[in-house]
């Protein structure tokens, strides 16, 4: 059961990673970036493993300052936009010459470019804080649910007098190697699984909660 939850955690982490700006690459070590398609099973699990603790790079004070700066910068952008529009109106009214307009346009366009850069920087700070907060909530949810399921598993095992059995690891396929075909007599029909237990139902509930979080992530990225 723990293996099922672990596998599900890896799938959820992969889904989150797919919603990020560069989904085709994963960093395995400092300075090493490789496409997901080139990773082996073990490397994939390590790259997409959900961390036990989440590190944050943006503090609450930094976010508040960035939001305040965005409010002021947006007003400054409106002022410069009005100035640019007013230059064309002034030329049409004969109050300034073509050379005057060209000179002033260069000045205000430079101010507008600087404002756009500052606004983009502050927006990225706020966005990063939102993503880090969502990531921390997701990790906390998994930790709480995994701890609850593990505790229930150990209780039931103790009552039944059972010990956990090792789960066989799937063999990694070698690139370029032809898959070994099974002979008809080697193929064994898969038995139908038993009805879902309460623990499996709880796992299904976790899946639903994770899907809701992923939907919230996608909605935030759409609104950004």
């Amino acid at each position: 059961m723990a293996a099922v939850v672990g596998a599900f955690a890896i799938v959820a982490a992969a889904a989150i990673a797919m919603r990020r700006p560069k989904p085709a690459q994963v960093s395995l070590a400092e300075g090493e970036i490789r496409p997901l398609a080139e990773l082996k099973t073990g490397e994939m699990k390590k790259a997409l493993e959900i961390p036990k603790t989440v590190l944050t790079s943006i503090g609450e004070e930094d976010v508040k300052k960035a939001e305040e700066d965005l409010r002021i910068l947006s007003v400054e952008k409106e002022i410069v936009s009005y100035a640019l529009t007013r230059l064309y109106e002034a030329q049409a009214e004969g109050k300034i010459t073509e050379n005057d307009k060209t000179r002033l346009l260069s000045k205000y366009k430079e101010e507008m470019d600087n404002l756009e850069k500052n606004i983009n920087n502050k927006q990225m700070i706020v966005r990063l804080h939102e993503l880090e907060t969502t990531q921390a909530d997701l990790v906390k949810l998994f930790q709480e649910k995994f701890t609850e399921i593990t505790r229930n598993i150990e209780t039931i095992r103790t009552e039944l007098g059972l010990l956990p059995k090792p789960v066989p690891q799937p063999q990694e396929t070698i690139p370029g190697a032809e898959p070994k075909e099974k002979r008809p007599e080697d193929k064994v029909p898969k038995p139908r699984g038993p009805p879902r237990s309460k623990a499996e139902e709880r796992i299904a509930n976790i899946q639903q909660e994770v899907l809701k979080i992923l939907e919230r992530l996608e909605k935030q990225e759409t609104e950004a």
Side-chain angles (χ1 to χ4, degrees), residues 6-218:
F8 172 64
I10 293 173
V11 172
I16 295 174
M18 290 175 65
R19 286 172 166 78
R20 293 178 180 170
K22 294 182 179 180
Q25 296 180 335
V26 169
S27 176
L28 299 179
E30 185 176 358
E32 182 185 2
I33 302 294
R34 292 169 57 190
L36 284 174
E38 296 181 2
L39 300 183
K40 297 180 181 179
T41 303
E43 293 176 331
M44 177 75 77
K45 289 183 179 180
K46 183 178 180 181
L48 300 178
E49 183 180 11
I50 294 182
K52 294 181 180 180
T53 58
V54 177
L55 301 178
T56 59
S57 51
I58 303 295
E60 292 292 338
E61 293 298 325
D62 295 329
V63 176
K64 290 180 181 179
K65 186 177 184 306
E67 292 175 341
E68 181 67 17
D69 291 342
L70 276 174
R71 183 181 63 83
I72 297 174
L73 288 170
S74 63
V75 175
E76 292 182 2
K77 182 179 178 181
E78 291 178 3
I79 294 173
V80 176
S81 296
Y82 174 77
L84 290 170
T85 303
R86 181 57 187 149
L87 286 176
Y88 290 95
E89 294 175 351
Q91 184 196 12
E93 294 170 358
K95 294 182 178 180
I96 59 175
T97 64
E98 179 70 24
N99 291 335
D100 293 332
K101 186 193 74 170
T102 302
R103 177 174 54 82
L104 293 173
L105 277 177
S106 176
K107 173 186 175 182
Y108 286 115
K109 283 183 177 180
E110 183 178 354
E111 290 186 16
M112 179 64 76
D113 290 340
N114 291 332
L115 285 171
E116 291 286 358
K117 291 178 181 178
N118 289 333
I119 290 174
N120 182 61
N121 179 265
K122 302 303 179 182
Q123 287 176 339
M124 286 194 297
I125 292 176
V126 175
R127 180 60 178 157
L128 176 59
H129 176 70
E130 293 174 350
L131 291 174
E132 288 180 342
T133 301
T134 304
Q135 184 186 51
D137 292 341
L138 182 59
V139 171
K140 181 180 178 182
L141 171 64
F142 270 114
Q143 289 175 343
E144 291 175 351
K145 294 299 182 181
F146 187 82
T147 300
E148 177 186 353
I149 291 174
T150 301
R151 184 169 53 249
N152 293 335
I153 289 174
E154 294 302 326
T155 300
I156 296 174
R157 281 176 179 167
T158 302
E159 293 179 358
L160 296 176
L162 299 176
L163 295 176
K165 298 179 181 180
V167 179
Q169 298 296 327
Q171 295 182 352
E172 296 183 0
T173 58
I174 302 176
E178 296 183 359
K180 183 179 179 181
E181 296 184 358
K182 291 185 177 182
R183 294 177 298 178
E185 57 270 19
D186 292 337
K187 297 181 180 180
V188 180
K190 295 182 179 181
R192 293 185 178 179
R196 293 201 307 180
S197 62
K198 292 183 177 180
E200 291 173 332
E201 291 179 356
R202 282 194 289 268
I203 292 177
N205 293 333
I206 294 176
Q207 292 175 336
Q208 294 298 324
E209 294 183 25
V210 171
L211 289 176
K212 291 180 181 179
I213 293 176
L214 295 179
E215 290 177 359
R216 187 176 67 183
L217 277 172
E218 186 175 2

